[in-house]
């Protein structure tokens, strides 16, 4: 046998090449960022309309004047969002369970669920908020709430639970029937099999799409403003109409971003983790 | 046929099947199965793919509703229309070819779930019993892991432990080694052999002829949903009387099954 062949490249060679490549990447991305953002800023700030826009949308005076009320309006949005979300999760799961599993006694309920989901998914959210918010109080039904916040919340909950029930249903159907069989073989009742084996796995699988619906709902809460409650958008709008300055609308938008951007990042992370767990999707990059 | 004759010196029947039929979508999969499994006995079900072995085991565990016939557990009919199957399932253990462990639960939780939820065994007692079973099967240090971190052979041993914790009257094993790499088959068969020595009553669907020969007291050859021939391993493997059995064995043994 001949002597051990000399390696053509050494570990040091590779490490040096990798460092050089990383540095090149960093320099190029930094430079392009500066050029693009700088160009955009120059373009906007030198435009003839900028002084007016700055006065009407970025006024520090109106920001300090309005921020307190916009923030308290936003607090109403957040509370409503949390309550509606809990209702949506519960109702969505219930509808999904009724639709996925055949229980003879629940057949009429199942029909109602199918119609409910079809109708709710087919109507624009804003129309539903309008209809529930204005038509229900007009009926003068005793015992039915007339508060616009409550009615708006109900409209949102109905609309979103239809979407969320479809997400849950997909999750439930993705669990292989052999899991239920194994649970029954262990002596669990069908209800216990659902509760301990099927639902926990289904829920785990649909967390990322559920969070996407969370974010959408968090934004759509602003739709109840059409019914009159003083939530962030409404408060900002009143200011804007009164003083012809739109800064409060931008502060409301900024508040929304403070919630939705972190939520989005969380979803991205979870989706990446699910992909990793399923063993797919390697990051693409220079080889 | 002599299906109703208990073998000499056998104990009380644990399982008894009389004329069991089952069809899927009009296709008859079981065509009148008579079978008797006595206490401490191991009955092996052999037969080609699609002959109805899995279906038979699922019917015994009441996971499938039979069309006709009776299945009795300790003399009690389990297949009376409208009867609650859950208490009977609790007295039987079933292990699947594909393990079917619960991926969202740790090994120890997989093993205790049936005992704690089904039988209302106190959690501490269930954990203790589960840990003892896992130790016994050489898995004592894997109790806190999730099933996907285990090899196929280890997963199948967990599945057997899971079926055993509630001390079933009979254990039903459905081709428990056919999803395993050849080098992992031995460890699972070893566990079953041990259970047999302790007197566990078992019905074993298997493709491992040498194992069936070694561990079973009775061997049933199924074809097209019928028990074509039943007898001791000696009879079936050395002097099968039916031509179908002879053909099946010739084919399988020529295929050099381990
Ligand atoms: N859920 C089902 N729906 C329809 N047909 C089924 C179902 N389960 C089994 N069958 C049919 O019943 C017959 C017997 O199947 P079974 O799984 O019991 O055979 P087996 O002897 O266990 O085969 P294998 O050795 O491949 O496991 C097959 O023809 C199969 O196609
Ligand atoms: Mg089978």
């Amino acid at each position: 046998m001949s002597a051990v062949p000399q390696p053509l490249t050494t570990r040091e060679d590779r490490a040096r090449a990798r460092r050089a490549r990383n540095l090149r990447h960093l320099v190029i991305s930094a430079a392009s960022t500066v050029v693009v953002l700088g160009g955009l800023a120059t373009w906007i700030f030198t435009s003839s309309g900028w002084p007016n826009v700055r006065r009407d949308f970025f006024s520090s005076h109106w920001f300090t004047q309005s921020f307190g009320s916009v923030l308290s309006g936003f607090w109403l949005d957040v509370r409503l969002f949390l309550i509606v979300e809990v209702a949506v999760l519960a109702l969505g799961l219930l509808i999904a369970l009724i639709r996925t599993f055949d229980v003879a006694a629940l057949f009429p309920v199942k029909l109602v669920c199918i119609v409910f989901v079809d109708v709710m998914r087919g109507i624009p959210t804003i129309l539903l908020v309008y209809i529930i918010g204005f038509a229900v109080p007009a009926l003068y039904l005793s015992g039915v709430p007339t508060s616009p916040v409550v009615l708006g919340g109900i409209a949102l909950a109905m609309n979103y639970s239809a979407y969320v029930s479809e997400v849950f249903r997909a999750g439930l159907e993705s669990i292989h029937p052999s899991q239920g069989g194994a649970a029954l073989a262990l002596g669990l009742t069908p209800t216990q099999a659902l509760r301990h084996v099927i639902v926990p796995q289904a829920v785990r699988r649909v967390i990322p799409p559920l969070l996407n619906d969370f974010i959408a709902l968090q934004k759509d809460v602003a739709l109840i403003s059409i019914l009159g409650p003083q939530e962030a958008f409404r408060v900002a709008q009143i200011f804007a109409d009164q003083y012809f300055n739109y800064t409060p609308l931008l502060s409301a938008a900024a508040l929304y971003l403070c919630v939705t951007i972190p939520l989005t990042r969380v979803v991205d992370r979870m989706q990446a983790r699910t992909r990793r767990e399923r063993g797919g999707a390697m990051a693409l990059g220079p080889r | 046929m002599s299906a109703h004759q208990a073998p000499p010196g056998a104990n009380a029947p644990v399982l008894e099947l009389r004329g069991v039929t089952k069809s899927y979508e009009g296709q008859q999969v079981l065509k009148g199965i008579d079978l008797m499994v006595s206490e401490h006995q191991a009955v092996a079900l052999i037969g080609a793919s699609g002959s109805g072995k899995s279906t038979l085991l699922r019917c015994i565990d009441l996971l499938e509703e039979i069309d006709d016939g009776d299945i009795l557990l300790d003399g009690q009919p389990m297949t009376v229309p409208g009867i609650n199957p859950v208490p009977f399932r609790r007295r039987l253990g079933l292990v699947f070819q594909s393990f079917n462990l619960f991926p969202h639960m740790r090994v120890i939780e997989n093993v205790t779930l049936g005992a704690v939820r089904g039988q209302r065994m106190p959690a501490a007692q269930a954990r203790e019993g589960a840990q003892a079973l896992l130790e016994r099967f050489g898995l004592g240090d894997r109790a806190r892991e999730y099933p996907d971190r285990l090899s196929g052979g280890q997963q199948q041993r967990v599945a057997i432990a899971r079926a055993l914790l509630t001390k079933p009257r009979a254990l039903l094993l459905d081709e428990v080694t056919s999803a395993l790499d050849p080098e992992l088959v031995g460890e699972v068969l070893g566990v079953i052999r041990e259970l047999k020595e302790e007197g566990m009553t078992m019905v074993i669907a298997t493709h491992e002829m040498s194992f069936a020969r070694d561990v079973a007291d009775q061997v049933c050859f199924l074809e097209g949903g019928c028990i074509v021939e039943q007898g001791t391993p000696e009879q079936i493997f050395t002097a099968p009387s039916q031509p179908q059995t002879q053909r099946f064995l010739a084919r399988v043994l020529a295929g050099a099954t381990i």
Side-chain angles (χ1 to χ4, degrees), chain A residues 41-72:
Chain A
T42 320
W43 188 48
I44 290 173
F45 296 149
T46 59
S47 70
S48 60
W50 171 244
N52 290 340
V53 168
R54 188 180 161 162
R55 189 191 59 227
D56 293 347
F57 286 86
F58 297 94
S59 143
S60 61
H61 171 70
W62 288 114
F63 176 78
T64 42
Q65 286 289 302
S66 65
F67 189 71
S69 349
V70 172
L71 187 63
S72 67

Side-chain angles (χ1 to χ4, degrees), chain B residues 61-76:
Chain B
D61 206 31
L62 308 184
L63 292 176
E64 305 285 346
E65 217 173 308
I66 61 173
D67 301 341
D68 206 2
D70 293 298
I71 306 179
L72 291 82
L73 177 62
D74 288 324
Q76 262 181 299

Side-chain angles (χ1 to χ4, degrees), chain B residues 108-125:
Chain B
I108 188 94
E109 293 158 346
N110 263 278
V111 179
T112 55
L113 181 72
V116 172
R117 301 292 166 186
Q119 324 265 61
R120 311 227 163 275
M121 189 189 282
Q125 186 192 338

Side-chain angles (χ1 to χ4, degrees), chain B residues 139-171:
Chain B
L139 295 165
D141 54 338
R142 314 309 293 269
R144 306 284 309 153
E145 306 242 27
Y146 284 93
D148 62 357
R149 306 295 304 275
L150 270 53
S151 76
Q154 292 170 330
Q155 290 190 46
Q156 194 57 293
R157 283 181 281 155
V158 172
I160 295 174
R162 176 170 81 166
L164 283 177
L165 183 58
T166 51
K167 303 205 162 48
R169 276 295 279 155
L171 191 60

Side-chain angles (χ1 to χ4, degrees), chain B residues 28-57:
Chain B
Q28 206 164 33
V29 175
L30 298 179
K31 302 173 182 163
I33 300 282
D34 294 309
L35 181 66
M36 183 102 106
V37 184
S38 304
E39 193 161 23
H40 309 312
Q41 213 188 19
V43 172
L45 305 175
I46 61 170
S49 187
S51 57
K53 305 181 293 294
S54 301
T55 307
L56 184 56
L57 292 179

Side-chain angles (χ1 to χ4, degrees), chain A residues 19 37 41 62 69 90 130 221 246:
Chain A
R19 273 197 304 276
L37 289 188
W62 288 114
S69 349
Y130 245 101
V221 166
Y246 302 99

